[in-house]
């Protein structure tokens, strides 16, 4: 099928990256020389490097005996090579071009599954079927809600009402509980018994110490009448 479209080359790697060349001629030459249709000023590119020839399906690439060769998708071209959309064209090892092709059919026909073309027909306007009866929307009864309830107002209590009331033990038949001793009272009794014990121990120690001193000192043992009488009663020979 004879068709038409738009074709172009985009420089991906080379002297002018992202440069776009629109392809509109039937024969387009590429090379380093200024007489070419597309001039690529790179040392890897020959003066007349390759040629693009247009056909019904697009363009065909043909190398013109370049020194570093022409490549399509990494394969070196040895003869005419048809190009497809998205092919990478290499000129030597330093220049890479992307071939883009957008094909348009010759007419607006739509191809059927059997391969025959049918004329394009615009879609007709949609007409709703009149045989389907329409019913008005059903009316639903309004929902009923229970009457609102109100909480009674809260009463403000006085501090006397909030204070805890003492229990009446006689009402329940129990005697009144004994009043527990306060911590200060319990501590006072403990200190009293502790002081009495310390005083008793001190008296015993003083008595023993006095007896030892008197027993070792003859003047005290025999000089005082009361002590002399006690010692002579126990031991008559204790005093001369």
């Amino acid at each position: 099928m004879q068709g038409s479209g738009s074709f172009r080359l985009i420089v991906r790697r080379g002297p002018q990256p992202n440069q776009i060349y629109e392809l509109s001629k039937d024969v387009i030459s590429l090379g380093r020389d200024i007489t070419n249709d597309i001039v690529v000023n790179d040392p890897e590119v020959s003066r007349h490097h390759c040629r693009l020839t247009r056909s019904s399906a697009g363009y065909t690439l043909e190398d013109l005996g370049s020194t570093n060769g022409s490549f399509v998708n990494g394969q070196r071209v040895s003869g005419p090579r048809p190009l497809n959309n998205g092919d990478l064209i290499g000129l030597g090892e330093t220049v890479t071009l992307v071939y883009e092709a957008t094909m348009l059919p010759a007419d607006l026909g739509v191809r059927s599954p059997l391969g025959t073309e049918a004329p394009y027909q615009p879609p007709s306007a949609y007409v709703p079927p009149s045989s389907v009866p329409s019913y008005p929307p059903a009316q639903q009864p309004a929902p009923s809600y229970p009457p609102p309830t109100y909480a009674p107002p809260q009463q403000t209590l006085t501090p006397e009402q909030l204070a805890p009331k003492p229990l009446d033990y006689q009402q329940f038949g129990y005697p009144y509980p004994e009043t527990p001793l306060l911590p200060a009272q319990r501590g006072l009794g403990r200190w009293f018994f502790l002081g009495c014990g310390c005083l008793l121990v001190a008296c015993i120690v003083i008595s023993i110490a006095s007896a030892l001193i008197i027993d070792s000192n003859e003047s005290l043992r025999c000089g005082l009448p009361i002590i002399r009488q006690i010692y002579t009663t126990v031991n008559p020979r204790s005093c001369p």
Side-chain angles (χ1 to χ4, degrees), residues 50-51 60-66 68-83 88-90:
C50 61
R51 178 172 56 207
T60 301
L61 177 67
E62 183 180 0
D63 188 76
L64 299 179
S66 61
N68 297 315
S70 301
F71 302 85
V72 176
N73 297 329
Q75 297 180 357
R76 187 159 185 168
V77 177
S78 58
R81 172 71 179 270
L83 299 177
L88 298 179
I89 301 174

Side-chain angles (χ1 to χ4, degrees), residues 139-174:
Q139 296 182 357
Q140 298 181 357
S144 59
Y145 300 97
T149 57
Y150 300 96
Q154 297 183 356
Q155 298 179 359
T156 303
L157 301 179
T158 60
E160 292 76 9
Q161 295 175 347
L162 294 176
K165 297 181 180 180
L167 295 177
D168 189 0
Y169 290 91
Q170 294 181 355
Q171 180 181 359
F172 300 98
Y174 295 103

Side-chain angles (χ1 to χ4, degrees), residues 14 28 30 46 56 60 65 67 97 110 120-121 155 157 198 205-206 226 228:
I28 300 174
L30 290 83
S46 301
S56 59
T60 301
T67 302
L97 308 174
V110 179
Y120 173 77
Q121 296 181 358
Q155 298 179 359
L157 301 179
C198 292
V205 172
I206 293 173
I226 298 175
R228 177 185 177 86

